[in-house]
Amino acid sequence: MTTNPSSSWNSADYTTTGAFVAEHGAAVLELLNPQSDERILDVGCGDGALTLKITEAGADVLAFDASPELLATASERGLDTHLGSASNMEFNAEFDAVFSNAVLHWVLDAEGAAQSMFNALKPGGRLAVEFGGFGNIAAVSTALRATLIKHGYQDLPDDHYFPSAEQYARLLESVGFVGVEAKVIPRPTFLEAGMEAWLRTFRNGLLERLEVPQDQYELIFNETADLLKPALFDPATGWWADYVRIRVSARKPTVD
Ligand code: BEZ
């Protein structure tokens, strides 16, 4: 199974600090518009918080993720789960719709993911996905990189896929999708738990990958937050992350 080597998830942390991820899923859920007689694949369901909302529409949903830990939480929530990598899913023409929220930026083999999602759809099936688009978390990544370089970590991996609308539309069309509509939407995102908690939840995996000693994590995250304060901390409201989303819909042709 291929997983992003910079991703590492703590389920308890994700369901608290990361709760905003599912809360911001309303727009892509609306784009999906799930129907009660449909079978839907949720690619990268995480802890299943948003997947549950698809089931509330009456659809039969398969919750798919690469993290056994997050999938265990999804399963405890009563969801039908499947462990695997989004870049090589083995489904063949089984789903009326494929959905994904805040996940595809972790899948570096974007072409493999696009092809797998296409294969998973029945002819005429639809795709509704949202994830990090071009420019996503540019300030956060730059500050974390600067801090890591200062601490002697030079070989920093490019560990996310944040495409432009044109780039992603071309990719989907190259695997056979039609009717592709992709737009990039800047969405500054309020971090209720603050920047250091966000870094602990979402960037621990990068520090693990770089073999940073555990006792340096707090220092590195504190220094990163200090660098970001002038840009992303609003004294009136608190911390914001410079999120940019790409929201996409497309169809598999009726006859392929
Ligand atoms: C996001 O855009 O949702 C995201 C990107 C990288 C790390 C964590 C979250």
Side-chain angles (χ1 to χ4, degrees):
M1 184 174 49
T2 329
T3 51
N4 185 313
S6 300
S7 74
S8 161
W9 303 108
N10 172 302
S11 195
D13 215 22
Y14 188 86
T15 43
T16 51
T17 308
F20 71 90
V21 174
E23 287 157 15
H24 282 286
V28 64
L29 201 56
E30 194 176 316
L31 188 66
L32 173 68
N33 188 19
Q35 305 297 311
S36 59
D37 56 347
E38 289 186 319
R39 178 144 171 82
I40 297 179
L41 175 65
D42 182 0
V43 179
C45 63
D47 63 10
L50 194 55
T51 324
L52 278 181
K53 296 211 180 300
I54 308 176
T55 63
E56 280 166 18
D60 172 20
V61 188
L62 184 63
F64 182 97
D65 206 282
S67 161
E69 195 178 346
L70 293 180
L71 217 51
T73 306
S75 181
E76 281 160 21
R77 289 179 145 146
L79 292 163
D80 182 14
T81 60
H82 191 109
L83 181 71
S85 163
S87 56
N88 52 20
M89 298 185 291
E90 67 276 28
F91 307 113
N92 185 19
E94 293 170 44
F95 295 94
D96 298 290
V98 169
F99 172 84
S100 184
N101 180 51
V103 167
L104 293 173
H105 48 253
W106 292 103
V107 185
L108 299 183
D109 178 5
E111 188 178 347
Q115 186 67 66
S116 289
M117 294 190 295
F118 184 83
N119 294 346
L121 284 168
K122 295 176 186 171
R126 64 197 194 282
L127 180 76
V129 299
E130 182 173 311
F131 58 103
F134 184 70
N136 191 42
I137 58 164
V140 174
S141 296
T142 304
L144 180 57
R145 278 172 174 265
T147 307
L148 285 165
I149 289 168
K150 182 187 140 198
H151 284 269
Y153 299 93
Q154 303 293 340
D155 281 330
L156 304 180
D158 196 6
D159 59 355
H160 288 111
Y161 172 67
F162 297 139
S164 68
E166 294 73 19
Q167 186 186 354
Y168 201 62
R170 270 202 303 274
L171 174 66
L172 291 184
E173 283 160 4
S174 75
V175 302
F177 280 104
V178 294
V180 179
E181 288 188 23
K183 62 180 168 198
V184 162
I185 307 152
R187 195 200 69 199
T189 298
F190 181 60
L191 303 180
E192 198 173 339
M195 182 55 73
E196 280 150 274
W198 185 93
L199 290 164
R200 269 195 300 280
T201 301
F202 292 104
R203 300 286 44 210
N204 248 15
L206 174 62
L207 272 54
E208 279 172 24
R209 177 175 177 180
L210 295 170
E211 299 182 355
V212 176
Q214 286 264 354
D215 62 5
Q216 285 187 24
Y217 283 28
E218 278 313 299
L219 177 66
I220 287 172
F221 291 153
N222 288 345
E223 289 184 9
T224 303
D226 280 349
L227 273 179
L228 286 166
K229 208 163 182 180
L232 298 179
F233 182 77
D234 170 13
T237 54
W239 279 102
W240 294 77
D242 52 339
Y243 274 27
V244 176
R245 303 288 93 181
I246 178 167
R247 190 175 302 148
V248 186
S249 62
R251 278 180 295 109
K252 182 171 182 166
T254 318
V255 182
D256 56 0

